[in-house]
Amino acid sequence: MRVGLLTGGGDVPGLNAVIRAVVKRGEGEHGHSIVGFRHGWRGLADGDVMPLTRSHIRNVLPTGGTLLGTARYHPHADDGGLDAVRATLEEERIEALICIGGDGTLHAASKVAESGVKIVAVPKTIDNDVWGTDRSIGFDTAVSIATEAVDRIHTTAESHNRVMIVEVMGRHAGWIAATAGIAGGAELVLAPEEPFDIDRVVRFLQHRHRAHASFSIIVVAEGAVPMEGSSMTYETRLGPFGEIVAGAISERLGAEIAARTGFDTRVTILGHVQRGGTPTPADRILGSRMGVAAIDAVSAGESGVMTALRGDDVVLVPLSEIAGKVKQVPAEMLEVARALA
Amino acid sequence: MRVGLLTGGGDVPGLNAVIRAVVKRGEGEHGHSIVGFRHGWRGLADGDVMPLTRSHIRNVLPTGGTLLGTARYHPHADDGGLDAVRATLEEERIEALICIGGDGTLHAASKVAESGVKIVAVPKTIDNDVWGTDRSIGFDTAVSIATEAVDRIHTTAESHNRVMIVEVMGRHAGWIAATAGIAGGAELVLAPEEPFDIDRVVRFLQHRHRAHASFSIIVVAEGAVPMEGSSMTYETRLGPFGEIVAGAISERLGAEIAARTGFDTRVTILGHVQRGGTPTPADRILGSRMGVAAIDAVSAGESGVMTALRGDDVVLVPLSEIAGKVKQVPAEMLEVARALA
Amino acid sequence: MRVGLLTGGGDVPGLNAVIRAVVKRGEGEHGHSIVGFRHGWRGLADGDVMPLTRSHIRNVLPTGGTLLGTARYHPHADDGGLDAVRATLEEERIEALICIGGDGTLHAASKVAESGVKIVAVPKTIDNDVWGTDRSIGFDTAVSIATEAVDRIHTTAESHNRVMIVEVMGRHAGWIAATAGIAGGAELVLAPEEPFDIDRVVRFLQHRHRAHASFSIIVVAEGAVPMEGSSMTYETRLGPFGEIVAGAISERLGAEIAARTGFDTRVTILGHVQRGGTPTPADRILGSRMGVAAIDAVSAGESGVMTALRGDDVVLVPLSEIAGKVKQVPAEMLEVARALA
Amino acid sequence: MRVGLLTGGGDVPGLNAVIRAVVKRGEGEHGHSIVGFRHGWRGLADGDVMPLTRSHIRNVLPTGGTLLGTARYHPHADDGGLDAVRATLEEERIEALICIGGDGTLHAASKVAESGVKIVAVPKTIDNDVWGTDRSIGFDTAVSIATEAVDRIHTTAESHNRVMIVEVMGRHAGWIAATAGIAGGAELVLAPEEPFDIDRVVRFLQHRHRAHASFSIIVVAEGAVPMEGSSMTYETRLGPFGEIVAGAISERLGAEIAARTGFDTRVTILGHVQRGGTPTPADRILGSRMGVAAIDAVSAGESGVMTALRGDDVVLVPLSEIAGKVKQVPAEMLEVARALA
């Protein structure tokens, strides 16, 4: 059986663990040939292929990025894109496709699946907002990087009198903000799930600094927004790929707090650092398990499904159940962040 | 309300996150007084108390160990132990007790609960073998330490021709062995769940080294044992607290492999290093969430329950459901370890 | 003997190692009383003291920040500042003063020493630009943080086609930029030592991307500047304490490169993250050795000197030899950065 | 010019940085051809060559081990070894040889140099005991690993009443023991430089535990020995390559302390973990600088020299000055370890 493999969307640590698992299990157990497409869906549309054998995956387990490359291209959003994809799949005699990606890739996967191609998806996004799975690949590493930054700022903050704002990723959900906020002991977590009231934020800081504190750390997700009708105006700025511009909310928030409190307010924007480097063991394990589950699913004739972590188990869920949903941070976790401030 | 708090058994990273959460949430939200008992159940039997307020928990979130101390003492295994515990609880007017621990502590907790004391337990063990919860506190950090060791040995192993054996913790279940084996890309994982056949191990190594490899890494759980009736004899050696003696299985296994293959075979025993140091973000978050859940449960009048992670949620499970059960590594995960060798 | 101790300027990892060493050695070997001044020279002027005994320094070795606090205040730059300092020293019967700090503190130290007070200085600055010592405390940790960031960006950069600019600290010297650039394998290092020619930078990038590369990483020190008379205008922006505003050069440079090449250019500003967190072993060792050397020097009647690392040895150098000098990166090291691009 | 390159002795982190620097600088600046010999001197004797070009060194900077492989073989200790080396050099038309290694390799280098071959050596050893250079490649990473282990054991030790012994590498000099002991805050450092008096060790522990402590950490170098004539007998055990058997001294010492004090005494043997994994920035920088210095020296016609770090500078020192000398830990540093216990 010839199985295609691609990684779509922004890259995250743990992708190479999936690729390695698909190749090792696919070759070793099932005797499949694995064909990689370079630069995500773009390579599938353009016919940019590379064979994937054991020699390609030596030593990749602890590495970040993706050996296949990736691109922010979606065939269903491009005129003739789906036709080009089908043509490549036919030409390369691909019987099934495993695609690793986030929102956009999962959406593309269901579109392509509708046209009869066998597809199994593997969820990755440092935002962790894919519905139907406890964890997406890349999230654990991003939390670890963001927490380390909060830890570091914590020690410098203690020596001064200031407000430190740390902006982390999370457009539709505040998973990194909430977890790094809890793990790093931040005073305030601002997440897209709960638009914030700038007046309450300012009162909280003033009260806290009057009472005893000489510093406060605020972790804010890039997708956080002020409450409607509140006294802070803000409009989300989007970049060329529809992504939120790094620093937009945190710099606006910093200016607002500085103006209203007079506190020395500093902003740190983690940005791309969150996407890179050696994956944590948890991301390598999740990637390995999902890679094996994906090729096993393909071999069992499954299609239109996504691998998912549920508790201790890796299971398959229909792509149709996931479409259009965003997994937000549970209220309990946001409450923990608040309780431990 | 006066709430008692203790940490029992061996210490693990993440305990201070629980203590901090219980104190912050207990004082802040519920207005409770938190009373700590030093050195686990021993302090509860002896009346060795310390008040726990916000000033005691400053900066403890990223620290390992337990600020309360711990000890390997179980009141139900000691003559008059349960009476002493009840006496202290009465004298200190403790209305409910939160105890953080593993197997032994959970067992002690159900015994004490039977005598009418309100008890909520929080599971911690780097072995991750507590039934009823996806994760126990300390496991994620231990996996991260063990994986780092396997990563390091991987690079030295590549330059030589040898067999490297890494022994990790895990008496009744091979969670650390399986996960660090997968994450570190080990060639073989030996876990208590599946007694190993030394003849197959030797054949595997010989075949592998004949074919192409110049090294092999074996991750073995301290509780791994050879199959009954196999050609390797081995008797588990126990220490003063009934714990498995570090190095027993790995040194025996190393000698056996060296004798049968003639390969240069080296043993690394991680030991106590796995129990220490800064907790990973995942362990700090789990500890924080479980600490909040425990004090909330106590405040709601719950008793005889344990906090548990189930998927994305923290829930309560009856202690009676857990008793006597060991959560073993799922067969799927052991299969992944095998598939990716 | 009563010995005063303060930490001046911005905080860096490793300060607590010095404090611990001064206290342990001072009490244990010499029988001195150590008196800490809070918030640097400000506390010395204001008489804000705290006794420092063994109980204050428990567990501080691996912690960042400074348990004494710090402030950006210099007595010689403040009307009546030196008088206030002398008054406090007299009132507290301080016979000698150990001050840990960078440029500003070393300058203040020589001013105070001139007025007859016995002073021994210990150099700290993540910029590593103190003359007379191979290393200043905090530098090694900052390099390790900056390198980790370059490593992470390296893996994300590889999957895309872009120019990544990483701004690190270094106002008068590019020590962090050069070392993190070499250690992280950056394509270009821009340091204050050698004003850059934007035309050459652009040509280099264009040539490189035309030839083969899909990404380039530039590490730029905050104090880097374009060559005079070059085609890029830039004026250093200063903050309230005379410090360079974070992001000023890198954002300007990024805009320039994007405009001239059309490449997708992203900027990461490490900022305060470089100043915080657990000190590396090298910084703990340097701090410990210099702390012991400082209190031994004080006990031997030395004054007007600074502890310094020279090769394998810790020695004393006269403050007068250091004044007004900046230790820049050796040309050989900048050449290595260039050669390995 | 054709330049040979080999890595001899045990591998350490940072070797690939040297290889990369030699190739990049050699090709780029000097136009040399670099020829690698596999498995150290063994490959040079056997003619096991691989060309080394830019494509071989992609992404190797942050990796441990050596891409050339290594072996514990010395031509001058093997009958006909030097002749075989000369034959290969002639056959491959090698005009100069760069060899990266420790004691054994430096000795081999001077022997080969005597026979007229141009040789430049680069010092690597995690033991840091090469004379004439402030640092050898690999040492900083080993210290970082050992310190992390002491840090971890520190937190577990605090919760119990025990003596923890950590054995680190260091046969002739206690560099890792002294530095990791200082950085980790150990109570006792035992190094080869000063044979220890077991009676004093036991008295120190007894006094300390009687006074206040519930734990003590001892860092012992593998090459530490009891004082002659003392009440503890011990004979160094050597392995097949003349190396000290891991665990020999620490297990003996642990048994002795346990027997004399009755304290619960545990041993951790770091072993090969110290040799592996990602090199620290300091080791990557040192490796890069020495690699550039070595190929520049070769190009300038130098021979019979070793690259060395002296303060901030990389210089060349004659191999003849180094022969037979061991760089031991300065007394000042051992005193710091003692003072801060």
Side-chain angles (χ1 to χ4, degrees), chain C residues 178-331:
Chain C
T179 50
I182 293 172
E187 273 68 40
L188 212 54
V189 167
L190 303 181
E193 282 82 352
E194 303 180 343
F196 61 87
D197 178 347
I198 184 69
D199 296 309
R200 279 192 58 189
V201 168
V202 165
R203 275 200 308 274
F204 169 81
L205 292 172
Q206 283 170 330
H207 178 262
R208 185 176 144 79
H209 283 241
R210 206 158 36 223
H212 61 287
S214 61
F215 72 95
S216 297
I217 298 179
I218 302 176
V219 180
V220 58
E222 61 182 358
V225 287
M227 278 173 59
E228 268 184 62
S230 81
S231 65
M232 174 180 159
T233 58
Y234 169 72
E235 213 160 313
T236 307
R237 269 188 290 150
L238 298 184
F241 304 109
E243 85 279 14
I244 294 187
V245 170
I249 182 62
S250 56
E251 281 172 357
R252 183 75 189 76
L253 179 69
E256 200 75 31
I257 289 174
R260 295 187 186 207
T261 63
F263 296 151
D264 179 16
T265 304
R266 306 282 176 105
V267 171
T268 296
I269 302 152
L270 287 185
H272 272 73
V273 172
Q274 291 164 89
R275 294 194 163 285
T278 300
T280 56
D283 270 329
R284 299 190 210 172
I285 296 161
L286 186 61
S288 298
R289 293 175 78 186
M290 286 193 167
V292 167
I295 191 76
D296 282 2
V298 154
S299 308
E302 296 277 358
S303 183
V305 294
M306 181 187 79
T307 59
L309 183 72
R310 294 274 177 90
D312 277 333
D313 302 313
V314 172
V315 301
L316 299 175
V317 297
L319 281 169
S320 56
E321 275 186 19
I322 298 156
K325 293 182 194 156
V326 167
K327 189 181 74 159
Q328 292 198 309
V329 179

Side-chain angles (χ1 to χ4, degrees), chain A residues 105-126:
Chain A
T105 288
L106 296 175
H107 191 59
S110 25
K111 289 291 175 193
V112 175
E114 279 168 20
S115 71
V117 179
K118 290 198 168 170
I119 282 208
V120 172
V122 176
K124 72 86 199 152
T125 163
I126 64 173

Side-chain angles (χ1 to χ4, degrees), chain A residues 96-143:
Chain A
L97 184 69
I98 294 175
C99 45
I100 316 167
D103 267 16
T105 288
L106 296 175
H107 191 59
S110 25
K111 289 291 175 193
V112 175
E114 279 168 20
S115 71
V117 179
K118 290 198 168 170
I119 282 208
V120 172
V122 176
K124 72 86 199 152
T125 163
I126 64 173
D127 285 3
N128 200 39
D129 60 357
V130 172
W131 184 267
T133 181
D134 291 351
R135 284 287 171 277
S136 292
I137 295 160
F139 173 61
D140 191 74
T141 307
V143 172

Side-chain angles (χ1 to χ4, degrees), chain B residues 11 152 155 159 162 272 276-277, chain D residues 11 152 155 159 162 272 276-277:
Chain B
D11 56 7
R152 292 199 183 280
T155 62
S159 313
R162 50 169 72 130
H272 271 73
Chain D
D11 56 7
R152 292 198 183 282
T155 62
S159 313
R162 49 168 74 129
H272 271 75

Side-chain angles (χ1 to χ4, degrees), chain C residues 9-20:
Chain C
D11 55 8
V12 306
L15 295 175
N16 289 333
V18 187
I19 298 171
R20 173 177 175 271

Side-chain angles (χ1 to χ4, degrees), chain C residues 18-164:
Chain C
V18 187
I19 298 171
R20 173 177 175 271
V22 168
V23 173
K24 279 206 161 180
R25 177 74 164 187
E27 276 196 356
E29 176 73 18
H30 303 293
H32 299 329
S33 297
I34 312 296
V35 179
F37 294 98
R38 283 203 190 83
H39 307 302
W41 294 97
R42 165 66 71 192
L44 183 53
D46 294 355
D48 187 357
V49 304
M50 66 180 284
L52 280 172
T53 64
R54 283 181 163 248
S55 71
H56 297 92
I57 52 167
R58 277 208 54 193
N59 299 329
V60 302
L61 188 55
T63 63
T66 158
L67 62 93
L68 281 173
T70 180
R72 293 185 183 272
Y73 167 87
H74 295 131
H76 57 282
D78 186 32
D79 218 24
L82 286 173
D83 288 341
V85 160
R86 273 188 298 263
T88 301
L89 290 172
E90 206 159 305
E91 195 164 316
E92 293 289 333
R93 291 166 295 113
I94 302 297
E95 294 163 74
L97 184 68
I98 295 175
C99 45
I100 316 167
D103 267 15
T105 288
L106 296 175
H107 191 59
S110 26
K111 290 290 174 196
V112 175
E114 280 168 20
S115 69
V117 178
K118 291 200 166 166
I119 283 208
V120 172
V122 176
K124 69 89 199 150
T125 163
I126 63 172
D127 285 3
N128 200 39
D129 60 357
V130 172
W131 185 267
T133 180
D134 292 351
R135 286 285 172 276
S136 292
I137 294 160
F139 172 61
D140 191 74
T141 306
V143 173
S144 133
I145 297 167
T147 301
E148 193 189 305
V150 177
D151 275 358
R152 292 198 183 282
I153 285 168
H154 212 90
T155 62
T156 72
E158 282 184 80
S159 313
H160 298 93
N161 188 340
R162 49 169 72 130
V163 175
M164 303 293 288

Side-chain angles (χ1 to χ4, degrees), chain B residues 37 43-47 84-94:
Chain B
F37 294 98
L44 184 52
D46 293 355
V85 160
R86 272 189 298 264
T88 301
L89 290 173
E90 206 159 305
E91 196 164 315
E92 293 288 335
R93 290 166 297 113
I94 302 298

